[in-house]
Amino acid sequence: TVVVSTSAATGARDIQLVLFKNGTVQPFSRVFNTMPDNGNWFNTVLTFQIQLSTNDYLELAHASSTSGNINYAKIQINIDGVVV
């Protein structure tokens, strides 16, 4: 689960999160949301199952539909492992 808390100083905007594994975008790991134009903190959440092996790495890309500053309060990645 990935949680990103953001706020925009000016204007509502569309935002997206994308998850990469070892530099490759993961299919169906993209989430879209609209950040309101009120200056309040806003959460965008991505929940995604992925198998990781030794030396795998994850990257998170966060994009906005318009130019301007986005303030970040939190970027949190939770990884829960299950042994089968």
Side-chain angles (χ1 to χ4, degrees), residues 39-50:
N40 293 332
W41 292 106
F42 178 76
N43 286 333
T44 302
V45 179
L46 167 64
T47 301
F48 190 77
Q49 286 188 329
I50 191 167

Side-chain angles (χ1 to χ4, degrees), residues 4-71:
V4 177
S5 294
T6 57
S7 74
T10 58
R13 61 187 75 199
D14 295 327
I15 57 175
Q16 62 178 300
L17 294 176
V18 183
L19 186 66
F20 292 78
K21 175 183 167 186
N22 300 329
T24 302
V25 68
Q26 296 303 289
F28 309 107
S29 72
R30 188 178 309 256
V31 63
F32 296 89
N33 218 336
T34 300
M35 190 175 1
D37 181 20
N38 60 13
N40 293 332
W41 292 106
F42 178 76
N43 286 333
T44 302
V45 179
L46 167 64
T47 301
F48 190 77
Q49 286 188 329
I50 191 167
Q51 184 169 343
L52 297 174
S53 300
T54 302
N55 296 322
D56 282 346
Y57 65 93
L58 298 176
E59 298 172 280
L60 178 68
H62 191 229
S64 172
S65 62
T66 60
S67 63
N69 293 335
I70 296 178
N71 301 313

